[in-house]
């Protein structure tokens, strides 16, 4: 059902859980977060560091 606004992610998938976390805790769009996880993996600390850099350049 489309009632769940977070239905586009599967929280049991490590990459998708990181995408959701990035979207909720940074200024990144879902697409930016997805690309970042695809490129750099699911290391949350590393992803947040990169996301802060992206925001600063933004």
């Amino acid at each position: 059902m489309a009632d769940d606004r977070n239905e586009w992610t599967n929280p049991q998938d490590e990459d998708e859980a990181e995408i959701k976390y990035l979207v909720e805790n940074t200024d990144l769009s879902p697409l930016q977060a997805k690309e970042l996880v695809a490129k750099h993996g699911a290391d949350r600390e590393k992803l947040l560091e990169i996301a802060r850099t992206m925001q600063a350049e933004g």
Side-chain angles (χ1 to χ4, degrees), residues 9-17:
T9 63
N10 174 2
Q12 291 158 344
D13 179 298
E14 184 178 355
D15 287 349
E16 289 188 19

Side-chain angles (χ1 to χ4, degrees), residues 15 32-44 46-47 50-51 54:
D15 287 349
Q32 288 174 308
K34 185 175 183 176
E35 290 174 352
L36 198 63
V37 170
K39 186 173 182 181
H40 298 283
D43 179 348
R44 185 171 289 178
K46 181 177 182 178
L47 293 170
I50 296 167
M54 292 173 68

